[in-house]
Amino acid sequence: MPDLLVPLFNLPEIENVKGIWIGRPLAHQSPRILSFIRENFSEGWEAEVRVGFSSIPPTILVAVEQESGKPSGFCCWDCTAKGFLGPIGTLESVRGRGIGRVLVLSCLRSMREAGYGYAIIGDAGPVDFFKSICDARVIEGSTPGIYGNPLS
Ligand SMILES: CC(C)(COP(=O)(O)OP(=O)(O)OC[C@H]1O[C@@H](n2cnc3c(N)ncnc32)[C@H](O)[C@@H]1OP(=O)(O)O)[C@@H](O)C(=O)NCCC(=O)NCCS
């Protein structure tokens, strides 16, 4: 899949999702978040998100069901490569409620506040998802991009 380029100077407004808290986890919450990602997504994504916990504050946002305190999604940046957003995931049971949109837009806003002018979404699986929520543009010639090393 290609990488996408997202300008950060004209981001849409963020509308909260009822009953969902979006924010940065604290370092002591990293075991909970990392096991959530390993169990519901993949070991590879767990490894990438672990990088985000090496910054203070972490370059990770999580979506939490306010009533139960349980995580339902995550998104991060500066984990795969500098200036890259992702991975992102929401639990199957909560998809379609706008949580993915808020996570992406909140991460993009944090990247802008950190001084980036553009974000790159690496190896973007659901390209239309990203295009529907921000001004994401396909980067020609970006496959396999940074993912092209031969390690099997
Ligand atoms: C992609 C993903 C994060 C979307 O999460 P979500 O919480 O369902 O997203 P939202 O509810 O905020 O959807 C926002 C918009 O994108 C659309 N959308 C959601 N998933 C989509 C997809 N796979 N392809 C195209 N459009 C999609 C929604 O219909 C919605 O459009 P609308 O505003 O017109 O209704 C989720 O499906 C997921 O975790 N998938 C598996 C992991 C993955 O593929 N991550 C991306 C790796 S780069």
Side-chain angles (χ1 to χ4, degrees):
M1 301 304 279
D3 296 341
L4 309 179
L5 186 70
V6 185
L8 299 180
F9 36 80
N10 203 12
L11 295 174
E13 289 302 310
I14 301 176
E15 284 179 29
N16 293 335
V17 178
K18 202 165 170 249
I20 297 291
W21 177 85
I22 304 281
R24 299 202 199 206
L26 295 166
H28 75 275
Q29 295 164 326
S30 63
R32 174 85 181 87
I33 297 303
L34 294 172
S35 60
F36 165 75
I37 294 168
R38 184 175 60 252
E39 284 158 19
N40 293 288
F41 300 96
S42 72
E43 250 186 8
W45 282 11
E46 178 199 358
E48 290 183 294
V49 175
R50 192 179 291 278
V51 174
F53 277 110
S54 63
S55 297
I56 300 176
T59 54
I60 303 161
L61 288 174
V62 289
V64 177
E65 300 281 349
Q66 278 172 325
E67 208 166 286
S68 66
K70 290 187 175 161
S72 54
F74 75 98
C75 186
C76 58
W77 69 98
D78 279 359
C79 288
T80 311
K82 288 183 181 175
F84 274 50
L85 178 146
I88 172 177
T90 57
L91 287 180
E92 263 181 56
S93 57
V94 304
R95 288 183 192 162
R97 286 173 55 190
I99 297 173
R101 175 196 303 273
V102 181
L103 281 167
V104 169
L105 289 178
S106 301
C107 280
L108 291 172
R109 184 187 283 184
S110 295
M111 291 180 74
R112 184 177 65 192
E113 284 165 5
Y116 289 107
Y118 295 83
I120 293 166
I121 299 171
D123 194 26
V127 171
D128 290 340
F129 162 69
F130 293 109
K131 280 187 169 172
S132 79
I133 59 182
C134 58
D135 185 12
R137 305 149 192 213
V138 170
I139 302 174
E140 298 298 331
S142 59
T143 308
I146 66 159
Y147 305 92
N149 88 35
L151 185 62
S152 60

